[in-house]
Amino acid sequence: MGVINLYHASSLHFTNPTSPIPSSKRNSVIAMSTIPVQQQQPPLVNDGQHRLTGDSFIRPHLRTLSPYQPILPFEVLSARLGRNPEDIIKLDANENPYGPPPEVSEALGTLKFPYIYPDPESRRLRAALAKDSGLGAEYLLVGCGADELIDLIMRCVLDPGDKIVDCPPTFTMYEFDAAVNGASVIKVPRKSNFSLNVEVISDVVKQEKPKCIFLTSPNNPDGSIISDDILLKILELPILVVLDEAYIEFSGLESRMQWVKKHENLIVLRTFSKRAGLAGLRVGYGAFPLTIIEYLWRAKQPYNVSVAAEVSACAALQNPTYLENVKNALLQERERLYHLLKELPFLKPYPSYSNFILCEVTSGMDAKKLKEDLAKMGVMIRHYNNKELSGYVRVSVGKPEHTDALIDCLRRLS
């Protein structure tokens, strides 16, 4: 955690030293998920010496890290299912089936200077976002998807052994990135209706003193929202609150981006993946207090948003009418899908403020097998392997014809 000046070897010193973490803190486990730190020695060779292997250079906690399980892309699904991509109904990743506005294809087709590095400050896009959100560009930072910003926040905030609060079931990237950064995760499960347990969160913050809490509104995978009153209660706690608004457009609620101007402990994240159909180009952005964003600028990769991504996002913002029409179409289809799912005797759908619907699988039917049977029929939905959601499936809202095909397959399986 410093720089050794080798030119003054007689008096080696560190610049910008950091305090060492006590061993008792480094290995603590607090009824939560954490990655155990295990010192692994390289294998012995015949002469009793340790043989140097590549993985001996890897940080110990990463050697036991389980990789994140992403959704399979069209190409892989096509090969596995023996179907053309066009014949697969993909309702497993909350993607926008309508895609981006036509201006995006036009802008990509006339892309100039792709051989020049992109603007490290994404000035053009941040100016467009400032106009779109009403928040000054100085509060905004753009990333290669909101996922990059989640990791960047953790790298800037967390020391190894620090703690975060996670409220499952929710987006699993928070727990994953915390493990990558050597942090511990204190899990405060949601209530049976998927609402936050604010009382327990408050107790955990007071007793364990975690650095930050990650909240999603609407929450993935159930589509519930966090009210202003609940959010304000959590903001009163001495903890950094990262509010993920990836699906806010479908909620009918205003974004809390403006709140960062009066709450020094609030960060709000947004994305172009759902709203503008740009999931494949990876464009996310965040609103940050000025006292925080300064340090993220210092730590972020200089060319993190590609020329194609920035051009596409700017082009999408030029057609707000298209974005609004697509949102309304998905909201209308969400209601139709909810009522059709509710008619099935083995599914219990939950009301959603997002572009997906979580369903409990009932009547003795196995949720994982349901997902697999639908896949064989060319319809992809999401099933979870974790204990909180093993008996559930999540269905993304698609076009009307996607809903029709899904319901037809489900009826045949019943």
Side-chain angles (χ1 to χ4, degrees):
M1 295 293 187
V3 180
I4 300 177
N5 187 342
L6 294 179
Y7 292 98
H8 298 85
S10 60
S11 57
L12 290 179
H13 65 279
F14 289 87
T15 61
N16 299 325
T18 57
S19 301
I21 301 171
S23 59
S24 59
K25 181 179 179 182
R26 191 182 305 122
N27 298 314
S28 61
V29 179
I30 314 167
M32 57 196 162
S33 67
T34 185
I35 301 300
V37 178
Q38 300 175 352
Q39 294 295 337
Q40 299 179 5
Q41 296 294 334
L44 293 173
V45 293
N46 293 335
D47 60 0
Q49 298 296 316
H50 287 293
R51 178 169 59 86
L52 186 65
T53 60
D55 63 352
S56 66
F57 298 104
I58 302 300
R59 295 169 66 188
H61 77 278
L62 294 179
R63 292 185 224 163
T64 56
L65 177 71
S66 297
Y68 186 81
Q69 297 297 322
I71 294 295
L72 295 176
F74 259 147
E75 296 79 4
V76 176
L77 287 173
S78 177
R80 289 192 179 183
L81 300 175
R83 294 173 179 266
N84 293 325
E86 297 80 9
D87 298 327
I88 298 173
I89 297 173
K90 198 169 183 299
L91 302 175
D92 59 349
N94 304 337
E95 293 135 332
N96 186 329
Y98 291 96
E103 286 83 356
V104 171
S105 295
E106 296 170 8
L108 289 173
T110 58
L111 186 65
K112 295 182 179 180
F113 313 120
Y115 51 89
I116 300 297
Y117 285 111
D119 177 6
E121 296 184 22
S122 303
R123 292 174 179 87
R124 182 184 168 201
L125 178 53
R126 287 171 52 239
L129 286 169
K131 182 178 179 181
D132 179 67
S133 66
L135 189 65
E138 66 272 20
Y139 292 92
L140 302 173
L141 185 65
V142 183
C144 181
D147 291 349
E148 185 202 10
L149 297 179
I150 293 170
D151 181 65
L152 178 61
I153 292 166
M154 291 197 188
R155 287 194 289 114
C156 289
V157 171
L158 300 175
D159 286 316
D162 278 344
K163 308 161 191 172
I164 75 162
V165 176
D166 192 33
C167 300
T170 192
F171 188 34
T172 54
M173 186 61 74
Y174 313 135
E175 181 179 356
F176 174 78
D177 277 336
V180 170
N181 286 279
S184 299
V185 180
I186 306 175
K187 293 188 177 184
V188 179
R190 291 169 178 263
K191 298 178 182 179
S192 58
N193 63 353
F194 297 104
S195 64
L196 295 171
N197 196 328
V198 181
E199 294 78 13
V200 176
I201 291 173
S202 179
D203 289 342
V204 163
V205 171
K206 293 174 184 176
Q207 295 172 16
E208 304 297 341
K209 296 179 172 49
K211 277 279 191 75
C212 53
I213 181 171
F214 286 81
L215 303 174
T216 310
S217 183
N219 186 47
N220 178 9
D222 62 277
S224 62
I225 55 175
I226 301 173
S227 68
D228 285 356
D229 289 343
I230 294 296
L231 183 58
L232 286 170
K233 286 181 180 179
I234 297 175
L235 284 169
E236 291 174 358
L237 301 173
I239 190 170
L240 176 62
V241 179
V242 182
L243 180 65
D244 190 338
E245 290 188 338
Y247 302 95
I248 191 67
E249 290 83 11
F250 306 105
S251 70
L253 303 174
E254 291 291 328
S255 168
R256 275 69 171 245
M257 289 176 64
Q258 295 285 345
W259 288 27
V260 303
K261 292 192 289 187
K262 58 182 179 180
H263 294 282
E264 293 275 322
N265 62 329
L266 175 65
I267 293 172
V268 180
L269 301 180
R270 302 281 297 274
T271 181
F272 279 86
S273 296
K274 323 301 178 184
R275 173 192 187 188
L278 294 179
L281 283 164
R282 312 306 301 131
V283 194
Y285 58 102
F288 301 82
L290 297 182
T291 51
I292 291 178
I293 198 170
E294 171 189 355
Y295 299 97
L296 273 72
W297 276 115
R298 298 183 191 183
K300 87 169 188 72
Q301 295 295 317
Y303 305 118
N304 58 326
V305 179
S306 73
V307 173
E310 182 172 12
V311 164
S312 298
C314 289
L317 291 174
Q318 291 174 5
N319 195 340
T321 301
Y322 176 93
L323 300 179
E324 184 71 13
N325 290 340
V326 165
K327 180 196 74 175
N328 290 335
L330 290 172
L331 292 180
Q332 182 176 349
E333 193 58 24
R334 182 183 70 193
E335 296 307 306
R336 188 172 84 98
L337 174 62
Y338 174 79
H339 290 293
L340 289 171
L341 291 171
K342 200 172 183 180
E343 294 174 359
L344 296 167
F346 53 89
L347 290 180
K348 177 187 174 183
Y350 286 80
S352 173
Y353 287 87
S354 192
N355 68 334
F356 53 80
I357 296 175
L358 183 71
C359 300
E360 183 179 2
V361 181
T362 63
S363 304
M365 184 172 285
D366 183 83
K368 183 179 181 181
K369 187 176 185 304
L370 176 62
K371 184 257 185 189
E372 293 170 347
D373 289 343
L374 286 172
K376 294 174 184 176
M377 303 167 82
V379 178
M380 307 303 300
I381 63 173
R382 183 73 187 270
H383 173 259
Y384 298 87
N385 292 322
N386 56 41
K387 62 180 181 180
E388 299 103 341
L389 295 171
S390 60
Y392 294 77
V393 293
R394 190 195 65 199
V395 182
S396 303
V397 179
K399 297 179 178 180
E401 55 266 32
H402 299 155
T403 299
D404 294 341
L406 168 68
I407 298 300
D408 177 65
C409 290
L410 287 170
R411 286 172 177 165
R412 281 190 274 161
L413 289 174
S414 66

